[in-house]
Amino acid sequence: SQYHFAVFEYNGVGNAINYLTENPARVNAATLIGTPSLVSQITSITSITVKSATVNIFPGNGAQRLILLRKWKPVEVTPELNKYYSHSLSYGSGSFLADSTYVILSTFGTGNFTITNLEPLTRYYAKVFEFNSQGDQVAYLLSSTSTATFFTDGPKITLKALQQVSFCPNNEIVVPFQATEGYSIGNRY
C-alpha cells in the first residue's frame, strides 16, 4: 500500500494551538509486498499435439504466477526479484531467460493455457513460480515450485503402396511406397 505523510509544525497547548499550515514537510512511502507461501500446482498437461500442449494450473496463494518452459532439459533458472517479464503462449516469443528457457505465461489467472509453436517429437519441461507484485515490487516464491514434463507428438505419416509386396530369398519383405507430407522413409522391412 502507498502512504502519504505531511508533517505540520505547531505551538501552544489545548485550545490555544497554532498550526503552521504553509509548506509542510511531505514524504511518500509504501509497505513491502509479501512473498507467497504456497505455489500453484501444474495438475496436468493435456491435449498434446505435434505443435501444442495445454497446461492445467491450480492456484497457490499468490496473486500471480509465472510459467517457464524449456526444451530437452529441466528449467534451471529462477526469476529475478523485482523484475517483470514479457510472456507469450507461443514458445520462443516471451522473455528469454537462458538456454532454451522462455517465459510462457505471467498471469493473475489459473485454469487451462494452451502453449503453441512447439517442435514435434521434443521433450519440454515446465516450471511455475508464484508471485505478488505492486508497482516496481515483484516478490517471487523461489523456495517452492511446481514442475512437469511432456513429449510432443510426431507427425502422422501415411504410406501409399506403389505396387505389390514382393518377398526376397533372404526373408526380407519389400514394399515400395511413398510417404505423404514429404517424408522419405525407404522401402525395406
Side-chain angles (χ1 to χ4, degrees), residues 40-133:
S40 292
Q41 295 296 313
I42 299 174
T43 57
S44 63
I45 298 179
T46 59
S47 304
I48 299 169
T49 69
V50 176
K51 294 187 175 197
S52 67
T54 300
V55 177
N56 306 294
I57 298 176
F58 185 80
N61 65 356
Q64 296 169 271
R65 47 233 30 101
L66 181 82
I67 302 173
L68 306 181
L69 192 69
R70 182 181 186 193
K71 64 181 175 181
W72 296 120
K73 296 179 184 177
V75 173
E76 296 174 347
V77 296
T78 57
E80 293 179 38
L81 295 178
N82 297 320
K83 184 171 182 176
Y84 288 99
Y85 295 92
S86 64
H87 65 275
S88 174
L89 287 170
S90 176
Y91 179 74
S93 298
S95 291
F96 172 77
L97 293 170
D99 194 23
S100 299
T101 304
Y102 291 91
V103 177
I104 296 300
L105 195 61
S106 180
T107 183
F108 289 95
T110 59
N112 305 330
F113 304 98
T114 300
I115 303 165
T116 61
N117 199 35
L118 303 176
E119 295 177 12
L121 299 173
T122 304
R123 177 157 305 281
Y124 288 91
Y125 292 83
K127 192 174 210 177
V128 62
F129 294 87
E130 198 77 2
F131 72 100
N132 289 324
S133 67

Side-chain angles (χ1 to χ4, degrees), residues 151-179:
F151 197 80
T152 52
D153 287 344
K156 294 190 177 9
I157 299 173
T158 305
L159 303 178
K160 177 181 171 186
L162 298 176
Q163 51 186 268
Q164 287 188 319
V165 175
S166 60
F167 296 92
C168 295
N170 60 355
N171 292 327
E172 283 186 336
I173 301 173
V174 177
V175 183
F177 61 85
Q178 177 182 12

Side-chain angles (χ1 to χ4, degrees), residues 8-58:
F8 296 91
E9 190 174 345
Y10 71 95
N11 288 322
V13 293
N15 291 338
I17 295 178
N18 186 13
Y19 290 96
L20 177 61
T21 58
E22 295 176 13
N23 300 321
R26 296 184 186 272
V27 67
N28 299 321
T31 56
L32 296 176
I33 59 170
T35 301
S37 59
L38 182 63
V39 72
S40 292
Q41 295 296 313
I42 299 174
T43 57
S44 63
I45 298 179
T46 59
S47 304
I48 299 169
T49 69
V50 176
K51 294 187 175 197
S52 67
T54 300
V55 177
N56 306 294
I57 298 176
F58 185 80

